[in-house]
Amino acid sequence: MKKLMMTLMAVTFAIAANAQGYNVGSSNTTTDYFGNQTTTHRDKYGNTTGTSTSSTDYFGNTTTTHRDRYGNTIGISTTSTDYFGNTTTTHRDKYGNAMGTDKSSTDYFGNTNTTYTDSYGNSRGSSTTSTDYFGNTTTTYQDSYGNSLGSSTSSTDYFGNRNTEQRSNNSNTTIWSW
């Protein structure tokens, strides 16, 4: 249970670092005609470690199902957006038990700030995402004490596929560990 919680939090955290950090994984997201997304997660060697599939309902709520490399469901995340554009994501294990919550808000400059808490409301850390002129994003991650953990960079190709590279300050860090 604890490992699953850490895994889901890692999925959310996508712990990664600066250009000098260690490559710890990548992901590729594709979007179908109906707006549903499929993300394939890979470790630093390029091996597939799992997938996440997301669908959005009529009200703008998103449900994401996380599966391991064998296709077994390990958890589900649900995201809702309020009137101001702030999002709240709740993570649950395959049995429906709450694992943690992410809350994101976007400032005047388009930067997104996210805080992560466990199922008891304790801080698990935070992240800040900025978007450049070309639509590429860079996210930096901090632990609950404000220490840098790493960063991830995402770019979107002509077909709308999103590629993300994760880098960590610690060579032993694994992001998609399930």
Side-chain angles (χ1 to χ4, degrees), residues 108-123:
Y108 181 81
F109 301 100
N111 302 311
T112 300
N113 300 298
T114 304
T115 57
Y116 306 94
T117 56
D118 63 20
S119 58
Y120 302 104
N122 301 311
S123 174

Side-chain angles (χ1 to χ4, degrees), residues 28-113:
N28 176 263
T29 302
T30 59
T31 305
D32 68 17
Y33 181 81
F34 301 99
N36 302 312
Q37 294 186 327
T38 299
T39 301
T40 302
H41 308 290
R42 295 182 176 84
D43 63 20
K44 62 184 176 182
Y45 303 108
N47 302 311
T48 298
T49 57
T51 60
S52 301
T53 53
S54 300
S55 60
T56 303
D57 65 19
Y58 181 80
F59 302 99
N61 302 312
T62 301
T63 300
T64 303
T65 302
H66 307 285
R67 295 181 175 86
D68 64 19
R69 72 181 72 206
Y70 304 108
N72 302 309
T73 298
I74 63 165
I76 294 175
S77 304
T78 54
T79 303
S80 58
T81 305
D82 67 18
Y83 181 81
F84 302 100
N86 303 313
T87 63
T88 299
T89 302
T90 301
H91 304 284
R92 299 183 185 279
D93 65 18
K94 63 182 177 180
Y95 303 108
N97 301 309
M99 307 301 292
T101 303
D102 314 338
K103 293 189 176 183
S104 299
S105 59
T106 303
D107 64 21
Y108 181 81
F109 301 100
N111 302 311
T112 300
N113 300 298

